[in-house]
Amino acid sequence: MPSPPRLRPPPASVRGFLDAHFTSPDNLAAAPALTELLRRECAGLDASLRRAEARLGAAAASWLARSAEARADLCRVRSRGVRVGAEDEGAEAVRTVGLPALVREIQRIDTIRLYAEATLQLEALVGNLEDVAFSIVRQAPKFNLSSILRKSNETKWKQGKLLHAVDAVRDIERELVQISTSRPQWTNLVMAVDSRVDKTLSILRPQALTDYRALLASLGWPPSLSSQDTEKDKYSQIPNPLVLMNKENKERYSQSFQALCALQHVQGNRELRLCQTAEVTPALADLKYFNRTACFDNGLWAIDELVHPIASRMEYHFAKWSEQPEFIFTLVYKITKDFMDGVDDVLQPLIDQARLVGLSAKESWVTGMVKMLVGYLERQIFPALVCSYQDHATVGKPEVDSSWMHLNDVMISFDKRMQLLADSGIQKIASLSEGLSRSLSVFSIYTEHPDWLQIWADVELSSAQDKLKSEMEDETNWSCSGQLDQLGHMENSMKFLLSTREDYKAPPVCEFVIKTALSMVERGRALPNRGMQIQYNRSSSVRFLNDFFLVLRERCEALELSNTALEDQSLSKTSCAINAARYCENVLREWDEDTTFLDMGPQGSLFTDEISFLVKLGTNYLEQILSSVLLEFEDLSSEYVQNIGSWSGQTILDDQTLDEENAGVSPGFVASLDVLTDRTTKLKRYLNSKDFLDLWRSIAEGLDYFICSSIRWGEVSFSDPGAIQLRVDTKALLHIFRPFCSRPEAFLPFLSESLKLLTMKRSDAQCLLEMLMDDTKSDNCLKHQGLHHVNASQAAKILSSRKFCG
């Protein structure tokens, strides 16, 4: 009799599975459920196997089709010239017509299948979210204040449901992001899901905030802002109920706080996705940490709910101080500071547990208090100021402007103190600091009210203009600060690295204007964003500077620079205005290079137009001075210049030699040289060194052109005494410019080279003249003689005007 077959022991994996699920006899009751679970898993695996077999069959059919196509192509190659059979024609028709249509149909069906699967999956997720929200709302009437105190387990259940809803929203967002990326054409599906999720969240958030407020009330929040100590002027720190919580209440509060933060986080990420999809803010995708913190830019909901009940008690005190706003800001700062340490000790660990990277409890607390204050100012303080400013009966009254100025001064001081409180928190990530700090400024009130910002700028401008008017009425503020420099000390004229007002010899009023404008710019830096700073500066500091620059131009236009005689007073005032323009131009250029001014204008400069105006103003009046000096010199020396050459043989006999060292300047040239000396001396005294350098060089070049172009070369004859006399006169002219330069001949090149030609020896002059007649050698011979400014034709005329004795 054969022995019964031996049963094989189950594999190790099966034994491990059974040991894990049946650790005791009590677990046998769960066997039917485990059987059903295994049955479903097997069914799923069978379905996966069938899908794999179907894909394998499709792949094989595709391979066979391509193989048949290749075999048909080979047959056609072998039987070249033979008529293709009917079977091949049918295969060709199927290949060219049927297969592409079949592929498109398969793709369409596959897309429908994927759409259906995505719809079913999203329907399940959204349904789960709606069920959780419905269960929370359905249980809401049962949770009043007394029930929260008695039944902490019900509170935990509700917080768990809220976290379940948050997880459901996060899963939905993950699917929607994937669909938006891979299937952007499924817009209707995404919009339908968003609509249902938004409706659900609009129910969840108010309910979550209501439960959170009830919990805060049960904990004794808000505390009383007045006590016996404060009534006796003993401003002790107010007790913080968050610090005084027992262990059980602290656990309940922690759960509620983190659940509310999680809900805010997922809603913020949804808003970010919607903005990116609609391309409302295309630059947000480039910010590395924006997706984690965008929803917290304006503070945490949980901390804002701490501020709201305190605000109602503070506003009772605010109403008494409408005429003394500094007391309002002082109270807000005191309350903020009193609760700061408690907020940081209790809430910062909760924020860290929620993994809200870069968020500070102190900063969020300060943000909430600032938002509360901004709301009160927007409702109560600023509307009254605006009405007073716009009232025709009070327009221009000093008390109205002073109220605006005083309020903004208090706001600037308050902002700095609150920023110090906020920055005392955790070390923030650099890329987050700018975004999170935008909400800390009480000046954000101007963001929604640009007309109020314009009023502030107008008040600042009016105040600055009134002060400037009194400064300009004192003529001593328009006097140049430069002292008379001693001519002959070259180092005094070599100082060209100008920086201060004294270096530019600008009048004192310029320093007042620059300091006033800079003060307005500094005050405008309190505004929270670049656009508001640009608007404020263009309406205040830029307009103030423009008004002063127009005054500069008017003062110059009122001066008459005569063509024949320059008045000393006109020369002094014009030089002073030029110095003022140059100094202001230099300051504005330095401001444009400062990082605080970068990107404040359309081309990266806030003062582009103003700088151009100043450059043009200084250049125009320098040209007028230059023209006046040259015309005055021309008028005094015109007769002398026209007679150059004609007197060379009249004053000296042929057998007489002129002693150059003892010879005097031509009488007709003395008056023009004296006037030129006087003008250059005064210009050096009045003008800044840079402009004077350019001006005297331009004067020298103008005189060089005037004298050389006025001599009738080729028509007059220069004898030896005549050439020597011209050199004596030229040395006298060069002597005027010698204190400003060691080689003034370089700036009168034509006159210097003409003298060099006239004083050449006869043999050298004749040889050079012959070489100039040869066009191929003319340029080289002039350069060989060190002549670089006169050309061959001019040099020939000059040499032909030379008359040698004997």
Side-chain angles (χ1 to χ4, degrees):
M1 186 174 176
S3 59
R6 297 179 60 184
L7 296 177
R8 290 185 178 181
S13 60
V14 176
R15 289 199 305 272
F17 176 80
L18 295 175
D19 291 341
H21 288 80
F22 298 98
T23 57
S24 65
D26 296 336
N27 299 130
L28 294 175
L34 180 60
T35 303
E36 180 63 22
L37 176 63
L38 293 175
R39 187 188 64 77
R40 288 199 301 269
E41 290 183 355
C42 290
L45 293 174
D46 289 339
S48 299
L49 180 60
R50 287 193 295 273
R51 287 195 296 269
E53 290 175 349
R55 287 196 297 271
L56 179 61
S62 176
W63 182 84
L64 289 174
R66 284 192 289 177
S67 177
E69 179 183 348
R71 186 164 51 251
D73 291 340
L74 289 174
C75 291
R76 280 192 292 274
V77 171
R78 291 174 181 173
S79 58
R80 187 176 300 171
V82 181
R83 179 178 177 81
V84 181
E87 183 179 354
D88 290 339
E89 292 179 355
E92 181 70 14
V94 171
R95 184 179 67 83
T96 57
V97 180
L99 286 180
L102 181 61
V103 169
R104 288 194 297 271
E105 183 65 18
I106 292 174
Q107 290 176 345
R108 189 181 68 83
I109 295 174
D110 188 60
T111 301
I112 294 174
R113 179 183 61 79
L114 293 175
Y115 188 88
E117 291 177 356
T119 302
L120 291 175
Q121 185 175 6
L122 288 173
E123 176 63 33
L125 293 174
V126 174
N128 185 20
L129 173 63
E130 292 173 341
D131 291 342
V132 173
F134 176 73
S135 64
I136 292 176
V137 174
R138 184 178 56 187
Q139 295 295 330
K142 300 179 182 180
F143 288 95
N144 51 32
L145 179 60
S146 59
S147 66
I148 291 179
L149 295 174
R150 293 194 306 266
K151 300 179 181 180
S152 60
N153 59 336
E154 293 178 346
T155 303
K156 292 181 179 179
W157 175 86
K158 201 166 189 181
Q159 298 302 328
K161 285 291 186 180
L162 182 59
L163 291 175
H164 188 186
V166 169
D167 291 337
V169 175
R170 190 176 290 114
D171 293 338
I172 293 171
E173 281 300 300
R174 190 180 300 111
E175 293 297 324
L176 291 180
V177 169
Q178 183 178 0
I179 290 174
S180 299
T181 304
S182 60
R183 303 284 181 175
Q185 67 272 23
W186 293 357
T187 306
N188 292 334
L189 174 62
V190 175
M191 292 177 60
V193 173
D194 280 335
S195 176
R196 292 177 60 181
V197 172
D198 288 339
K199 290 180 181 178
T200 306
L201 290 177
S202 65
I203 298 173
L204 277 178
R205 178 184 175 183
Q207 186 60 47
L209 292 176
T210 300
D211 297 338
Y212 183 73
R213 292 166 189 159
L215 178 59
L216 287 177
S218 69
L219 299 175
W221 187 273
S224 176
L225 301 183
S226 61
S227 63
Q228 295 181 354
D229 290 336
T230 56
E231 293 174 358
K232 298 176 182 178
D233 294 334
K234 297 180 181 178
Y235 295 104
S236 59
Q237 192 170 11
I238 301 174
N240 189 345
L242 297 180
V243 180
L244 302 177
M245 289 187 298
N246 58 33
K247 184 176 180 181
E248 180 181 357
N249 288 338
K250 190 173 183 178
E251 179 67 23
R252 288 164 49 208
Y253 179 76
S254 300
Q255 294 175 356
S256 179
F257 184 92
Q258 293 186 357
L260 197 57
C261 288
L263 180 62
Q264 182 180 358
H265 195 189
V266 296
Q267 183 159 336
N269 285 341
R270 280 180 50 77
E271 293 173 357
L272 172 63
R273 176 182 57 81
L274 293 173
C275 288
Q276 291 176 335
T277 302
E279 296 182 353
V280 176
T281 53
L284 297 182
D286 297 333
L287 298 180
K288 183 176 181 181
Y289 297 97
F290 189 88
N291 58 347
R292 297 184 181 180
T293 60
C295 52
F296 303 109
D297 279 355
N298 292 321
L300 287 169
W301 295 346
I303 293 183
D304 288 344
E305 291 302 322
L306 295 175
V307 175
H308 292 160
I310 291 181
S312 60
R313 298 189 178 186
M314 295 178 69
E315 290 183 3
Y316 169 77
H317 302 281
F318 292 168
K320 306 175 184 177
W321 300 327
S322 58
E323 300 297 328
Q324 297 172 303
E326 62 272 16
F327 292 161
I328 297 176
F329 290 89
T330 301
L331 179 60
V332 173
Y333 175 78
K334 181 184 184 303
I335 299 299
T336 305
K337 185 178 181 181
D338 286 348
F339 288 99
M340 181 66 75
D341 293 336
V343 166
D344 189 48
D345 295 340
V346 176
L347 301 185
Q348 189 60 54
L350 300 181
I351 292 176
D352 295 339
Q353 292 176 16
R355 298 180 181 179
L356 302 179
V357 180
L359 290 181
S360 165
K362 286 186 175 182
E363 189 174 78
S364 299
W365 170 247
V366 171
T367 299
M369 295 296 288
V370 170
K371 286 195 301 182
M372 177 273 298
L373 178 59
V374 168
Y376 181 81
L377 295 175
E378 191 173 19
R379 295 192 309 272
Q380 301 295 333
I381 303 300
F382 270 92
L385 279 177
V386 172
C387 290
S388 298
Y389 181 83
Q390 294 176 344
D391 187 1
H392 294 290
T394 59
V395 169
K397 287 188 176 181
E399 56 269 19
V400 178
D401 291 351
S402 62
S403 297
W404 273 94
M405 299 281 285
H406 176 63
L407 177 60
N408 283 279
D409 286 340
V410 175
M411 290 168 61
I412 291 173
S413 176
F414 175 79
D415 254 4
K416 292 179 179 178
R417 299 173 70 189
M418 296 293 276
Q419 187 68 53
L420 290 176
L421 288 180
D423 290 342
S424 63
I426 63 173
Q427 186 68 30
K428 297 176 290 185
I429 299 175
S431 61
L432 300 179
S433 301
E434 182 179 356
L436 296 177
S437 298
R438 289 177 301 182
S439 305
L440 296 179
S441 176
V442 71
F443 282 90
S444 59
I445 191 173
Y446 288 122
T447 304
E448 301 297 330
H449 301 279
D451 53 328
W452 296 357
L453 178 61
Q454 185 62 44
I455 292 176
W456 179 33
D458 291 342
V459 169
E460 291 277 357
L461 178 63
S462 176
S463 175
Q465 288 175 335
D466 291 340
K467 296 176 182 177
L468 177 61
K469 184 178 180 180
S470 61
E471 289 288 326
M472 291 191 302
E473 289 175 353
D474 186 359
E475 281 298 324
T476 59
N477 290 327
W478 286 101
S479 61
C480 290
S481 59
Q483 297 179 356
L484 178 62
D485 295 325
Q486 296 297 325
L487 296 179
H489 294 280
M490 195 176 305
E491 62 273 11
N492 290 339
S493 63
M494 293 298 292
K495 185 180 180 182
F496 303 123
L497 298 177
L498 311 181
S499 58
T500 64
R501 179 184 65 83
E502 289 76 13
D503 292 340
Y504 279 94
K505 300 181 182 179
V509 69
C510 293
E511 194 163 2
F512 173 81
V513 169
I514 293 301
K515 288 182 178 179
T516 304
L518 185 59
S519 174
M520 287 190 281
V521 172
E522 292 287 347
R523 290 161 65 81
R525 288 178 183 173
L527 294 168
N529 61 62
R530 186 72 67 182
M532 295 171 65
Q533 292 179 12
I534 294 174
Q535 178 186 349
Y536 167 81
N537 281 313
R538 290 204 174 278
S539 300
S540 58
S541 59
V542 175
R543 286 180 57 188
F544 175 73
L545 290 172
N546 277 326
D547 291 344
F548 176 69
F549 299 156
L550 291 176
V551 171
L552 282 182
R553 187 176 66 181
E554 290 172 1
R555 286 180 66 88
C556 290
E557 290 176 348
L559 302 174
E560 295 183 1
L561 296 177
S562 173
N563 291 337
T564 57
L566 284 173
E567 295 290 339
D568 183 51
Q569 185 179 10
S570 298
L571 196 62
S572 172
K573 290 185 176 181
T574 306
S575 299
C576 212
I578 293 172
N579 293 340
R582 292 297 191 228
Y583 172 65
C584 294
E585 174 194 345
N586 178 69
V587 172
L588 295 186
R589 291 188 187 277
E590 289 180 351
W591 287 359
D592 275 347
E593 295 174 358
D594 192 345
T595 55
T596 56
F597 289 91
L598 292 178
D599 301 328
M600 291 190 68
Q603 286 81 33
S605 171
L606 184 63
F607 305 103
T608 301
D609 296 336
E610 288 68 32
I611 292 175
S612 299
F613 179 87
L614 292 173
V615 171
K616 185 177 180 181
L617 176 66
T619 303
N620 287 345
Y621 287 99
L622 280 174
E623 290 177 353
Q624 287 192 29
I625 293 176
L626 171 64
S627 177
S628 298
V629 171
L630 294 177
L631 288 173
E632 189 175 24
F633 183 89
E634 180 181 349
D635 183 67
L636 294 173
S637 62
S638 58
E639 183 177 355
Y640 161 78
V641 174
Q642 290 176 1
N643 294 327
I644 289 179
S646 62
W647 40 256
S648 61
Q650 297 174 4
T651 58
I652 306 295
L653 299 176
D654 292 340
D655 56 350
Q656 229 177 353
T657 46
L658 181 65
D659 186 1
E660 183 177 348
E661 295 181 0
N662 298 324
V665 180
S666 298
F669 202 40
V670 173
S672 56
L673 292 179
D674 289 341
V675 172
L676 181 63
T677 301
D678 177 72
R679 299 296 179 254
T680 54
T681 302
K682 291 176 180 177
L683 286 171
K684 186 176 187 301
R685 182 194 312 169
Y686 299 143
L687 271 179
N688 64 84
S689 56
K690 282 186 177 180
D691 284 331
F692 177 72
L693 173 68
D694 294 335
L695 183 59
W696 81 255
R697 289 179 175 180
S698 299
I699 291 174
E701 292 172 358
L703 295 176
D704 184 48
Y705 175 78
F706 164 66
I707 295 174
C708 290
S709 62
S710 299
I711 299 176
R712 301 186 303 276
W713 300 109
E715 298 180 12
V716 297
S717 298
F718 282 90
S719 61
D720 291 341
I724 292 174
Q725 185 64 52
L726 181 59
R727 185 158 62 181
V728 170
D729 295 342
T730 302
K731 283 185 177 181
L733 178 61
L734 293 174
H735 180 73
I736 298 175
F737 301 107
R738 198 167 299 281
F740 319 135
C741 178
S742 59
R743 290 189 67 257
E745 297 87 355
F747 301 98
L748 289 90
F750 291 101
L751 188 56
S752 300
E753 292 185 1
S754 298
L755 281 174
K756 189 173 183 180
L757 290 170
L758 289 176
T759 56
M760 292 179 68
K761 296 179 180 180
R762 174 182 292 185
S763 58
D764 295 337
Q766 290 177 352
C767 180
L768 179 60
L769 187 59
E770 292 175 0
M771 296 179 67
L772 290 175
M773 298 304 175
D774 187 354
D775 295 336
T776 59
K777 300 180 180 180
S778 57
D779 292 336
N780 291 332
C781 68
L782 288 175
K783 293 180 180 178
H784 182 71
Q785 294 292 331
L787 304 174
H788 302 281
H789 294 84
V790 296
N791 55 37
S793 176
Q794 292 171 339
K797 287 184 178 181
I798 295 172
L799 290 174
S800 63
S801 298
R802 181 70 167 91
K803 177 183 178 183
F804 293 96
C805 298

